[in-house]
mmCIF file of all heavy atoms in Angstrom:
data_model
loop_
_atom_site.group_PDB
_atom_site.id
_atom_site.type_symbol
_atom_site.label_atom_id
_atom_site.label_comp_id
_atom_site.label_asym_id
_atom_site.label_seq_id
_atom_site.Cartn_x
_atom_site.Cartn_y
_atom_site.Cartn_z
ATOM 1 N N GLY A 105 17.711 -25.588 26.980
ATOM 2 C CA GLY A 105 17.404 -26.645 26.018
ATOM 3 C C GLY A 105 15.953 -27.059 25.985
ATOM 4 O O GLY A 105 15.579 -27.900 25.164
ATOM 5 N N TRP A 106 15.105 -26.495 26.839
ATOM 6 C CA TRP A 106 13.666 -26.788 26.757
ATOM 7 C C TRP A 106 12.883 -25.500 26.937
ATOM 8 O O TRP A 106 13.340 -24.563 27.571
ATOM 9 C CB TRP A 106 13.248 -27.829 27.791
ATOM 10 C CG TRP A 106 13.451 -27.451 29.236
ATOM 11 C CD1 TRP A 106 14.588 -27.585 29.972
ATOM 12 C CD2 TRP A 106 12.477 -26.857 30.099
ATOM 13 N NE1 TRP A 106 14.397 -27.122 31.242
ATOM 14 C CE2 TRP A 106 13.108 -26.673 31.366
ATOM 15 C CE3 TRP A 106 11.148 -26.471 29.970
ATOM 16 C CZ2 TRP A 106 12.444 -26.119 32.454
ATOM 17 C CZ3 TRP A 106 10.485 -25.914 31.050
ATOM 18 C CH2 TRP A 106 11.129 -25.751 32.282
ATOM 19 N N ASN A 107 11.704 -25.452 26.333
ATOM 20 C CA ASN A 107 10.866 -24.265 26.400
ATOM 21 C C ASN A 107 9.800 -24.423 27.479
ATOM 22 O O ASN A 107 9.063 -25.417 27.493
ATOM 23 C CB ASN A 107 10.184 -24.005 25.055
ATOM 24 C CG ASN A 107 11.187 -23.578 23.996
ATOM 25 O OD1 ASN A 107 12.171 -22.906 24.292
ATOM 26 N ND2 ASN A 107 10.950 -23.976 22.753
ATOM 27 N N ALA A 108 9.719 -23.470 28.363
ATOM 28 C CA ALA A 108 8.758 -23.509 29.461
ATOM 29 C C ALA A 108 7.363 -23.149 28.952
ATOM 30 O O ALA A 108 7.162 -22.068 28.402
ATOM 31 C CB ALA A 108 9.180 -22.549 30.565
ATOM 32 N N LEU A 109 6.421 -24.062 29.108
ATOM 33 C CA LEU A 109 5.023 -23.823 28.740
ATOM 34 C C LEU A 109 4.267 -23.495 30.021
ATOM 35 O O LEU A 109 3.977 -24.370 30.832
ATOM 36 C CB LEU A 109 4.444 -25.064 28.060
ATOM 37 C CG LEU A 109 5.249 -25.567 26.841
ATOM 38 C CD1 LEU A 109 4.620 -26.826 26.273
ATOM 39 C CD2 LEU A 109 5.337 -24.481 25.782
ATOM 40 N N VAL A 110 3.969 -22.211 30.197
ATOM 41 C CA VAL A 110 3.474 -21.695 31.480
ATOM 42 C C VAL A 110 1.972 -21.425 31.419
ATOM 43 O O VAL A 110 1.476 -20.811 30.469
ATOM 44 C CB VAL A 110 4.222 -20.398 31.852
ATOM 45 C CG1 VAL A 110 3.732 -19.863 33.192
ATOM 46 C CG2 VAL A 110 5.725 -20.643 31.884
ATOM 47 N N LYS A 111 1.265 -21.870 32.462
ATOM 48 C CA LYS A 111 -0.153 -21.580 32.602
ATOM 49 C C LYS A 111 -0.452 -21.225 34.058
ATOM 50 O O LYS A 111 0.263 -21.650 34.965
ATOM 51 C CB LYS A 111 -1.015 -22.806 32.218
ATOM 52 C CG LYS A 111 -1.013 -23.132 30.743
ATOM 53 C CD LYS A 111 -2.177 -24.036 30.333
ATOM 54 C CE LYS A 111 -2.558 -25.056 31.350
ATOM 55 N NZ LYS A 111 -3.627 -25.980 30.867
ATOM 56 N N VAL A 112 -1.525 -20.468 34.256
ATOM 57 C CA VAL A 112 -1.996 -20.180 35.600
ATOM 58 C C VAL A 112 -3.073 -21.201 35.945
ATOM 59 O O VAL A 112 -3.994 -21.431 35.167
ATOM 60 C CB VAL A 112 -2.577 -18.759 35.703
ATOM 61 C CG1 VAL A 112 -3.218 -18.534 37.071
ATOM 62 C CG2 VAL A 112 -1.498 -17.723 35.460
ATOM 63 N N GLU A 113 -2.929 -21.841 37.128
ATOM 64 C CA GLU A 113 -3.910 -22.822 37.584
ATOM 65 C C GLU A 113 -4.881 -22.159 38.551
ATOM 66 O O GLU A 113 -4.525 -21.224 39.263
ATOM 67 C CB GLU A 113 -3.215 -23.992 38.290
ATOM 68 C CG GLU A 113 -2.390 -24.872 37.370
ATOM 69 C CD GLU A 113 -3.239 -25.758 36.488
ATOM 70 O OE1 GLU A 113 -4.428 -25.983 36.832
ATOM 71 O OE2 GLU A 113 -2.739 -26.220 35.451
ATOM 72 N N SER A 114 -6.087 -22.665 38.585
ATOM 73 C CA SER A 114 -7.077 -22.154 39.526
ATOM 74 C C SER A 114 -6.655 -22.494 40.941
ATOM 75 O O SER A 114 -6.157 -23.590 41.214
ATOM 76 C CB SER A 114 -8.452 -22.767 39.235
ATOM 77 O OG SER A 114 -9.364 -22.449 40.268
ATOM 78 N N ASP A 115 -6.860 -21.569 41.861
ATOM 79 C CA ASP A 115 -6.543 -21.809 43.269
ATOM 80 C C ASP A 115 -7.673 -22.552 43.973
ATOM 81 O O ASP A 115 -7.603 -22.828 45.159
ATOM 82 C CB ASP A 115 -6.292 -20.475 43.967
ATOM 83 C CG ASP A 115 -5.485 -20.635 45.232
ATOM 84 O OD1 ASP A 115 -5.016 -21.745 45.492
ATOM 85 O OD2 ASP A 115 -5.332 -19.643 45.955
ATOM 86 N N GLU A 116 -8.728 -22.881 43.222
ATOM 87 C CA GLU A 116 -9.875 -23.581 43.786
ATOM 88 C C GLU A 116 -9.872 -25.016 43.289
ATOM 89 O O GLU A 116 -9.947 -25.260 42.100
ATOM 90 C CB GLU A 116 -11.183 -22.898 43.347
ATOM 91 C CG GLU A 116 -11.317 -21.466 43.815
ATOM 92 C CD GLU A 116 -11.721 -21.390 45.271
ATOM 93 O OE1 GLU A 116 -12.326 -22.360 45.747
ATOM 94 O OE2 GLU A 116 -11.419 -20.368 45.900
ATOM 95 N N GLU A 117 -9.787 -25.969 44.194
ATOM 96 C CA GLU A 117 -9.906 -27.373 43.806
ATOM 97 C C GLU A 117 -11.378 -27.685 43.580
ATOM 98 O O GLU A 117 -12.240 -27.282 44.356
ATOM 99 C CB GLU A 117 -9.379 -28.291 44.907
ATOM 100 C CG GLU A 117 -7.907 -28.514 44.864
ATOM 101 C CD GLU A 117 -7.507 -29.644 45.795
ATOM 102 O OE1 GLU A 117 -8.359 -30.148 46.530
ATOM 103 O OE2 GLU A 117 -6.332 -30.006 45.769
ATOM 104 N N ASP A 118 -11.690 -28.407 42.493
ATOM 105 C CA ASP A 118 -13.086 -28.767 42.291
ATOM 106 C C ASP A 118 -13.507 -29.780 43.351
ATOM 107 O O ASP A 118 -12.682 -30.418 44.008
ATOM 108 C CB ASP A 118 -13.323 -29.315 40.878
ATOM 109 C CG ASP A 118 -12.499 -30.552 40.598
ATOM 110 O OD1 ASP A 118 -12.793 -31.597 41.203
ATOM 111 O OD2 ASP A 118 -11.564 -30.466 39.786
ATOM 112 N N GLU A 119 -14.796 -29.922 43.520
ATOM 113 C CA GLU A 119 -15.339 -30.712 44.624
ATOM 114 C C GLU A 119 -14.886 -32.164 44.570
ATOM 115 O O GLU A 119 -14.563 -32.764 45.596
ATOM 116 C CB GLU A 119 -16.867 -30.632 44.600
ATOM 117 C CG GLU A 119 -17.538 -31.255 45.808
ATOM 118 C CD GLU A 119 -19.039 -31.058 45.796
ATOM 119 O OE1 GLU A 119 -19.512 -30.189 45.032
ATOM 120 O OE2 GLU A 119 -19.724 -31.772 46.541
ATOM 121 N N GLU A 120 -14.840 -32.738 43.366
ATOM 122 C CA GLU A 120 -14.449 -34.144 43.255
ATOM 123 C C GLU A 120 -12.987 -34.344 43.639
ATOM 124 O O GLU A 120 -12.648 -35.308 44.330
ATOM 125 C CB GLU A 120 -14.695 -34.645 41.836
ATOM 126 C CG GLU A 120 -16.156 -34.819 41.492
ATOM 127 C CD GLU A 120 -16.328 -35.461 40.130
ATOM 128 O OE1 GLU A 120 -15.862 -36.599 39.950
ATOM 129 O OE2 GLU A 120 -16.913 -34.805 39.249
ATOM 130 N N ALA A 121 -12.112 -33.440 43.210
ATOM 131 C CA ALA A 121 -10.704 -33.548 43.558
ATOM 132 C C ALA A 121 -10.509 -33.392 45.059
ATOM 133 O O ALA A 121 -9.678 -34.076 45.662
ATOM 134 C CB ALA A 121 -9.885 -32.500 42.799
ATOM 135 N N ALA A 122 -11.296 -32.482 45.672
ATOM 136 C CA ALA A 122 -11.203 -32.288 47.115
ATOM 137 C C ALA A 122 -11.627 -33.555 47.859
ATOM 138 O O ALA A 122 -11.013 -33.941 48.853
ATOM 139 C CB ALA A 122 -12.067 -31.107 47.543
ATOM 140 N N ARG A 123 -12.677 -34.208 47.370
ATOM 141 C CA ARG A 123 -13.126 -35.463 47.991
ATOM 142 C C ARG A 123 -12.067 -36.544 47.831
ATOM 143 O O ARG A 123 -11.843 -37.364 48.731
ATOM 144 C CB ARG A 123 -14.454 -35.918 47.381
ATOM 145 C CG ARG A 123 -15.659 -35.140 47.877
ATOM 146 C CD ARG A 123 -16.943 -35.929 47.655
ATOM 147 N NE ARG A 123 -17.182 -36.210 46.255
ATOM 148 C CZ ARG A 123 -17.922 -35.447 45.467
ATOM 149 N NH1 ARG A 123 -18.496 -34.354 45.958
ATOM 150 N NH2 ARG A 123 -18.103 -35.754 44.209
ATOM 151 N N TYR A 124 -11.417 -36.557 46.672
ATOM 152 C CA TYR A 124 -10.373 -37.541 46.414
ATOM 153 C C TYR A 124 -9.202 -37.343 47.377
ATOM 154 O O TYR A 124 -8.680 -38.289 47.961
ATOM 155 C CB TYR A 124 -9.911 -37.404 44.967
ATOM 156 C CG TYR A 124 -8.867 -38.401 44.526
ATOM 157 C CD1 TYR A 124 -9.114 -39.771 44.617
ATOM 158 C CD2 TYR A 124 -7.658 -37.980 44.008
ATOM 159 C CE1 TYR A 124 -8.163 -40.688 44.206
ATOM 160 C CE2 TYR A 124 -6.706 -38.888 43.593
ATOM 161 C CZ TYR A 124 -6.965 -40.240 43.691
ATOM 162 O OH TYR A 124 -6.013 -41.144 43.286
ATOM 163 N N ARG A 125 -8.826 -36.078 47.576
ATOM 164 C CA ARG A 125 -7.752 -35.752 48.510
ATOM 165 C C ARG A 125 -8.124 -36.226 49.922
ATOM 166 O O ARG A 125 -7.322 -36.847 50.622
ATOM 167 C CB ARG A 125 -7.512 -34.246 48.517
ATOM 168 C CG ARG A 125 -6.571 -33.754 49.609
ATOM 169 C CD ARG A 125 -6.619 -32.240 49.692
ATOM 170 N NE ARG A 125 -6.024 -31.633 48.520
ATOM 171 C CZ ARG A 125 -4.737 -31.364 48.394
ATOM 172 N NH1 ARG A 125 -3.911 -31.649 49.377
ATOM 173 N NH2 ARG A 125 -4.272 -30.802 47.315
ATOM 174 N N SER A 126 -9.361 -35.931 50.311
ATOM 175 C CA SER A 126 -9.827 -36.309 51.645
ATOM 176 C C SER A 126 -9.804 -37.822 51.836
ATOM 177 O O SER A 126 -9.438 -38.321 52.898
ATOM 178 C CB SER A 126 -11.233 -35.772 51.877
ATOM 179 O OG SER A 126 -11.723 -36.150 53.136
ATOM 180 N N SER A 127 -10.182 -38.566 50.789
ATOM 181 C CA SER A 127 -10.220 -40.026 50.904
ATOM 182 C C SER A 127 -8.826 -40.610 51.070
ATOM 183 O O SER A 127 -8.627 -41.582 51.811
ATOM 184 C CB SER A 127 -10.904 -40.644 49.678
ATOM 185 O OG SER A 127 -10.105 -40.513 48.523
ATOM 186 N N LEU A 128 -7.828 -40.009 50.408
ATOM 187 C CA LEU A 128 -6.461 -40.498 50.531
ATOM 188 C C LEU A 128 -5.927 -40.269 51.944
ATOM 189 O O LEU A 128 -5.274 -41.131 52.527
ATOM 190 C CB LEU A 128 -5.557 -39.799 49.509
ATOM 191 C CG LEU A 128 -5.762 -40.187 48.043
ATOM 192 C CD1 LEU A 128 -4.924 -39.290 47.144
ATOM 193 C CD2 LEU A 128 -5.396 -41.646 47.808
ATOM 194 N N ILE A 129 -6.205 -39.082 52.494
ATOM 195 C CA ILE A 129 -5.767 -38.794 53.857
ATOM 196 C C ILE A 129 -6.468 -39.715 54.848
ATOM 197 O O ILE A 129 -5.857 -40.238 55.781
ATOM 198 C CB ILE A 129 -6.044 -37.318 54.203
ATOM 199 C CG1 ILE A 129 -5.193 -36.402 53.324
ATOM 200 C CG2 ILE A 129 -5.768 -37.046 55.681
ATOM 201 C CD1 ILE A 129 -5.474 -34.927 53.503
ATOM 202 N N ASN A 130 -7.773 -39.923 54.633
ATOM 203 C CA ASN A 130 -8.550 -40.783 55.525
ATOM 204 C C ASN A 130 -8.041 -42.219 55.486
ATOM 205 O O ASN A 130 -8.001 -42.918 56.500
ATOM 206 C CB ASN A 130 -10.025 -40.735 55.126
ATOM 207 C CG ASN A 130 -10.911 -41.452 56.115
ATOM 208 O OD1 ASN A 130 -11.013 -41.069 57.271
ATOM 209 N ND2 ASN A 130 -11.566 -42.513 55.656
ATOM 210 N N GLU A 131 -7.622 -42.651 54.301
ATOM 211 C CA GLU A 131 -7.091 -44.015 54.150
ATOM 212 C C GLU A 131 -5.847 -44.208 55.001
ATOM 213 O O GLU A 131 -5.682 -45.240 55.671
ATOM 214 C CB GLU A 131 -6.775 -44.275 52.677
ATOM 215 C CG GLU A 131 -6.232 -45.655 52.383
ATOM 216 C CD GLU A 131 -5.897 -45.853 50.918
ATOM 217 O OE1 GLU A 131 -6.320 -45.022 50.089
ATOM 218 O OE2 GLU A 131 -5.199 -46.837 50.601
ATOM 219 N N LEU A 132 -4.958 -43.226 54.987
ATOM 220 C CA LEU A 132 -3.745 -43.315 55.803
ATOM 221 C C LEU A 132 -4.080 -43.203 57.284
ATOM 222 O O LEU A 132 -3.561 -43.960 58.108
ATOM 223 C CB LEU A 132 -2.762 -42.216 55.415
ATOM 224 C CG LEU A 132 -1.484 -42.138 56.266
ATOM 225 C CD1 LEU A 132 -0.664 -43.411 56.121
ATOM 226 C CD2 LEU A 132 -0.654 -40.919 55.885
ATOM 227 N N MET A 133 -4.969 -42.281 57.624
ATOM 228 C CA MET A 133 -5.335 -42.067 59.018
ATOM 229 C C MET A 133 -5.848 -43.349 59.666
ATOM 230 O O MET A 133 -5.536 -43.671 60.812
ATOM 231 C CB MET A 133 -6.391 -40.963 59.107
ATOM 232 C CG MET A 133 -6.981 -40.765 60.499
ATOM 233 S SD MET A 133 -5.833 -40.037 61.689
ATOM 234 C CE MET A 133 -6.024 -38.301 61.272
ATOM 235 N N ASN A 134 -6.653 -44.109 58.921
ATOM 236 C CA ASN A 134 -7.311 -45.290 59.486
ATOM 237 C C ASN A 134 -6.662 -46.612 59.078
ATOM 238 O O ASN A 134 -7.279 -47.665 59.217
ATOM 239 C CB ASN A 134 -8.786 -45.282 59.097
ATOM 240 C CG ASN A 134 -9.528 -44.100 59.673
ATOM 241 O OD1 ASN A 134 -9.730 -44.020 60.872
ATOM 242 N ND2 ASN A 134 -9.925 -43.165 58.825
ATOM 243 N N ASP A 135 -5.443 -46.550 58.587
ATOM 244 C CA ASP A 135 -4.727 -47.774 58.213
ATOM 245 C C ASP A 135 -4.490 -48.630 59.461
ATOM 246 O O ASP A 135 -3.833 -48.192 60.406
ATOM 247 C CB ASP A 135 -3.390 -47.404 57.577
ATOM 248 C CG ASP A 135 -2.680 -48.598 56.958
ATOM 249 O OD1 ASP A 135 -2.958 -49.741 57.368
ATOM 250 O OD2 ASP A 135 -1.828 -48.380 56.075
ATOM 251 N N PRO A 136 -5.031 -49.863 59.503
ATOM 252 C CA PRO A 136 -4.889 -50.706 60.694
ATOM 253 C C PRO A 136 -3.448 -51.057 61.038
ATOM 254 O O PRO A 136 -3.159 -51.492 62.156
ATOM 255 C CB PRO A 136 -5.701 -51.962 60.340
ATOM 256 C CG PRO A 136 -5.801 -51.967 58.848
ATOM 257 C CD PRO A 136 -5.829 -50.532 58.442
ATOM 258 N N LYS A 137 -2.544 -50.849 60.102
ATOM 259 C CA LYS A 137 -1.130 -51.119 60.364
ATOM 260 C C LYS A 137 -0.597 -50.231 61.484
ATOM 261 O O LYS A 137 0.409 -50.552 62.120
ATOM 262 C CB LYS A 137 -0.328 -50.892 59.073
ATOM 263 C CG LYS A 137 1.149 -51.171 59.196
ATOM 264 C CD LYS A 137 1.825 -51.284 57.829
ATOM 265 C CE LYS A 137 1.668 -50.035 57.006
ATOM 266 N NZ LYS A 137 2.376 -50.135 55.709
ATOM 267 N N PHE A 138 -1.295 -49.085 61.736
ATOM 268 C CA PHE A 138 -0.821 -48.131 62.736
ATOM 269 C C PHE A 138 -1.777 -48.001 63.923
ATOM 270 O O PHE A 138 -1.760 -47.000 64.620
ATOM 271 C CB PHE A 138 -0.624 -46.757 62.077
ATOM 272 C CG PHE A 138 0.301 -46.784 60.890
ATOM 273 C CD1 PHE A 138 -0.207 -46.735 59.601
ATOM 274 C CD2 PHE A 138 1.664 -46.872 61.057
ATOM 275 C CE1 PHE A 138 0.632 -46.770 58.497
ATOM 276 C CE2 PHE A 138 2.529 -46.907 59.964
ATOM 277 C CZ PHE A 138 2.004 -46.866 58.680
ATOM 278 N N TRP A 139 -2.595 -48.996 64.173
ATOM 279 C CA TRP A 139 -3.547 -48.932 65.274
ATOM 280 C C TRP A 139 -2.885 -49.160 66.635
ATOM 281 O O TRP A 139 -3.268 -48.555 67.622
ATOM 282 C CB TRP A 139 -4.656 -49.960 65.072
ATOM 283 C CG TRP A 139 -5.683 -49.528 64.069
ATOM 284 C CD1 TRP A 139 -5.727 -48.340 63.383
ATOM 285 C CD2 TRP A 139 -6.816 -50.286 63.634
ATOM 286 N NE1 TRP A 139 -6.806 -48.316 62.542
ATOM 287 C CE2 TRP A 139 -7.503 -49.487 62.676
ATOM 288 C CE3 TRP A 139 -7.315 -51.541 63.935
ATOM 289 C CZ2 TRP A 139 -8.668 -49.919 62.046
ATOM 290 C CZ3 TRP A 139 -8.478 -51.967 63.309
ATOM 291 C CH2 TRP A 139 -9.144 -51.164 62.379
#
Side-chain angles (χ1 to χ4, degrees):
W106 62 275
N107 291 326
L109 305 178
V110 181
K111 290 198 324 184
V112 173
E113 291 286 340
S114 170
D115 201 7
E116 298 282 335
E117 275 192 354
D118 60 69
E119 188 176 344
E120 288 186 61
R123 284 201 299 266
Y124 183 57
R125 171 191 291 273
S126 178
S127 70
L128 289 173
I129 295 175
N130 188 63
E131 181 182 346
L132 176 63
M133 173 70 83
N134 297 291
D135 189 337
K137 181 165 59 177
F138 304 103
W139 282 358

